[in-house]
Amino acid sequence: MSSGDDLRIEVAPVFEPLLEPARYKAGWGGRGSGKSQFFADLIIIEAMKRPGLRVLCCREIQKSLKESAKRLIESKVEEYNLGSLFECQSAEIKTPGGGVIVFAGLQDHTSESIKSYEGFDIAWVEEAQTVSHRSLNLLRPTIRKPGSELWFSWNPRFDTDAVDEMLRGEETPSGSVVVKANWSDNPWFPAELEQERLDCIRQQPEQYDHIWEGGYAVVAEGAYFAKHIAEAREQKRIADVAIDPLLGQRAYWDIGLRDACAIWIVQQRGPELRFVDYYEAEGQDLAAHLNWLRSAGYANAECVLPHDGAKRDPIAAERYEDHIRSAGFAVRTIPNQGKGAAQKRIEAARRLFGQMRFDETRCSKGLKALGWYHEKRNDGGYGVGPDHDWSSHGADAFGLAAIDYREPKASKPLDLSKLKRAMV
Ligand SMILES: Nc1ncnc2c1ncn2[C@@H]1O[C@H](COP(=O)(O)OP(=O)(O)O)[C@@H](O)[C@H]1O
Ligand SMILES: [Mg+2]
């Protein structure tokens, strides 16, 4: 058994910047880049250097130790023959000089209970993409011992996830070292994963960048419009779309009662639907939405509301449509489409998608929502209708525009006989 004196742990060159002390250490990237392996190695390295080291390995949700990094760290202890220095117990691992490695789910903690980690030297947050703002806010001030460090490893999901905002946003906390690592940076990338990667290129090309190259997710599995959007991009129908001053404007709403309100501004020219602008706001009242319409230049737009337009605003005790009308807008409410309304909207939108153009800049947020809008699956993997999440407001308003589509009136053929008579 090793006493540790002759211990040599090799790390991938991409992670070398994380070997130096730093308040925040981050390793993000696609699957199989060796992130988990590296941080597990780093724990062993630090525990060997600093007797009595206390380490918290955590994630947002940890229902059992099986979901933790415990097994991984134990396999390192075995691999490096350090069984005489580390003691792997049922719930924790004792480290040289009276230190300890513990495992926890952040969601189980309160601002009181988290204090039990105040004396810790290192907190490693694994699968950090799922860590909530609340958990981060609990953890950061808790790890406060002089020289203490916070480590994060994750496969990015959205740029709005708490860890991405903190460590990949415009301003990172002082003392952060952030490393991007992908499969191609992993000297030990196994053949099995290479096979998986190649299969992914073939079978889920739209997910490849997210799963393997660390890109943000742009489409979910079971996404309703992902293919249509990709096709529209290819055909340059997502581009600069100028607002035509001679065409009427319609504003298609999804009225958010407590959550978000979404509005698409649409112009129709012949059979073509032009999505020229998109608006989304959370937790604001009707007046704010109407202000946006006016200030963005859509005061003359006809507002088209889903069936809840006929509902009453809980504050103004007035029907939404009346409220909007009395603010000076033309208003129309589309009656309830009945059972399967969401599915009908999706089908109508898919049917018409080839006739649609989108302004890339003004509609970028709406397009992001349309790309993400996806089917919810039950445990058996069967689709059970659209998942209600941040993307469904934009998608619902979009579907309303599709339901409301009318074929252009065919222009009357010229009656030549009348024309001649008129000329005589
Ligand atoms: N230091 C290492 N020693 C041995 N194998 C490694 C090492 N780093 C990575 N690997 C190999 O690469 C695979 C992926 O590493 P992992 O840390 O699980 O990636 P990630 O956490 O980025 O998805 C591992 O299953 C292992 O086969
Ligand atoms: Mg991992």
Side-chain angles (χ1 to χ4, degrees):
M1 223 164 248
S2 165
S3 63
D5 296 342
D6 51 353
L7 178 67
R8 285 209 45 195
I9 295 180
E10 241 185 295
V11 305
V14 70
F15 294 117
E16 275 170 15
L18 301 178
L19 294 172
E20 296 301 315
R23 171 73 183 153
Y24 291 96
K25 295 182 179 177
W28 65 272
R31 186 178 290 168
S33 57
K35 299 180 293 293
S36 304
Q37 296 271 340
F38 167 74
F39 281 107
D41 276 334
L42 194 55
I43 287 176
I44 303 282
I45 294 170
E46 293 297 321
M48 294 296 293
K49 273 201 301 211
R50 298 153 65 181
L53 189 80
R54 298 167 78 79
V55 181
L56 164 65
C57 296
C58 55
R59 55 182 63 216
E60 181 67 10
I61 298 172
Q62 180 189 294
K63 292 214 183 87
S64 76
L65 281 171
K66 274 198 212 113
E67 293 168 10
S68 75
K70 183 161 183 278
R71 185 70 213 109
L72 176 61
I73 296 171
E74 285 170 351
S75 73
K76 296 283 178 190
V77 171
E78 272 166 46
E79 186 188 338
Y80 304 134
N81 270 318
L82 296 173
S84 61
L85 299 170
F86 290 75
E87 193 190 329
C88 302
Q89 302 181 339
S90 61
E92 51 189 42
I93 300 172
K94 300 284 186 212
T95 66
V100 70
I101 306 171
V102 301
F103 305 87
L106 292 171
Q107 209 171 69
D108 299 330
H109 279 286
T110 62
S111 51
E112 270 312 304
S113 69
I114 195 92
K115 289 194 178 130
S116 58
Y117 301 115
E118 270 178 12
F120 275 59
D121 301 279
I122 292 165
W124 171 29
V125 186
E126 172 70 317
E127 304 295 346
Q129 70 275 6
T130 57
V131 164
S132 63
H133 285 93
R134 172 194 172 272
S135 294
L136 266 192
N137 291 340
L138 285 183
L139 185 66
R140 289 176 67 178
T142 301
I143 306 302
R144 56 171 69 182
K145 192 174 165 185
S148 58
E149 300 187 353
L150 290 134
W151 302 351
F152 299 86
S153 50
W154 77 103
N155 292 34
R157 242 176 12 177
F158 306 119
D159 57 3
T160 47
D161 283 329
V163 73
D164 292 88
E165 282 185 353
M166 174 168 85
L167 290 162
R168 297 181 61 203
E170 274 167 21
E171 233 181 295
T172 50
S174 17
S176 330
V177 180
V178 180
V179 162
K180 175 186 181 179
N182 277 327
W183 63 275
S184 46
D185 299 306
N186 180 357
W188 303 280
F189 189 61
E192 293 75 14
L193 283 185
E194 175 61 3
Q195 197 54 59
E196 293 290 328
R197 191 180 73 82
L198 296 174
D199 283 350
C200 181
I201 294 178
R202 256 189 320 116
Q203 295 169 330
Q204 298 168 280
E206 72 288 350
Q207 300 264 28
Y208 176 78
D209 184 63
H210 166 55
I211 297 176
W212 291 96
E213 303 289 345
Y216 285 121
V218 281
V219 282
E221 233 171 294
Y224 292 111
F225 303 126
K227 281 210 181 84
H228 304 77
I229 290 178
E231 198 177 86
R233 271 193 204 287
E234 248 170 59
Q235 298 172 355
K236 309 262 185 289
R237 285 184 287 110
I238 297 177
D240 270 342
V241 179
I243 295 168
D244 188 332
L246 299 178
L247 291 176
Q249 299 166 348
R250 291 196 288 265
Y252 287 96
W253 290 59
D254 182 62
I255 308 169
L257 279 175
R258 250 165 239 100
D259 44 10
C261 166
I263 300 175
W264 287 94
I265 305 293
V266 182
Q267 296 194 298
Q268 183 170 353
R269 188 189 164 90
E272 186 178 272
L273 286 179
R274 298 177 178 175
F275 291 78
V276 294
D277 211 337
Y278 179 76
Y279 163 87
E280 205 183 281
E282 211 174 318
Q284 308 230 21
D285 58 10
L286 209 46
H289 311 325
L290 296 171
N291 271 343
W292 176 77
L293 282 174
R294 286 196 204 92
S295 63
Y298 308 119
N300 294 321
E302 178 194 22
C303 290
V304 185
L305 310 181
H307 68 277
D308 49 3
K311 278 196 200 145
R312 280 172 205 288
D313 178 271
I315 297 160
E318 202 180 1
R319 298 191 315 165
Y320 287 102
E321 53 178 23
D322 296 338
H323 192 150
I324 296 173
R325 191 172 291 118
S326 59
F329 288 86
V331 187
R332 189 152 53 82
T333 296
I334 306 270
N336 199 341
Q337 302 289 311
K339 206 164 170 282
Q343 200 58 38
K344 281 180 198 160
R345 283 196 299 264
I346 292 165
E347 275 158 27
R350 282 175 154 175
R351 205 166 46 236
L352 289 169
F353 218 105
Q355 295 161 228
M356 296 176 182
R357 295 164 62 82
F358 300 85
D359 184 81
E360 187 167 21
T361 316
R362 289 187 298 270
C363 298
S364 68
K365 204 168 175 195
L367 284 164
K368 210 165 143 186
L370 295 186
W372 183 254
Y373 186 54
H374 63 276
E375 184 166 60
K376 191 174 181 159
R377 308 242 162 116
N378 64 15
D379 290 344
Y382 291 102
V384 289
D387 202 1
H388 188 86
D389 65 7
W390 61 272
S391 71
S392 38
H393 313 287
D396 282 344
F398 175 72
L400 193 66
I403 287 280
D404 192 44
Y405 174 78
R406 296 288 168 268
E407 291 293 337
K409 289 190 198 87
S411 46
K412 280 191 198 131
L414 230 46
D415 187 339
L416 285 177
S417 61
K418 273 184 193 156
L419 192 67
K420 270 184 209 138
R421 228 176 296 146
M423 282 169 66
V424 184

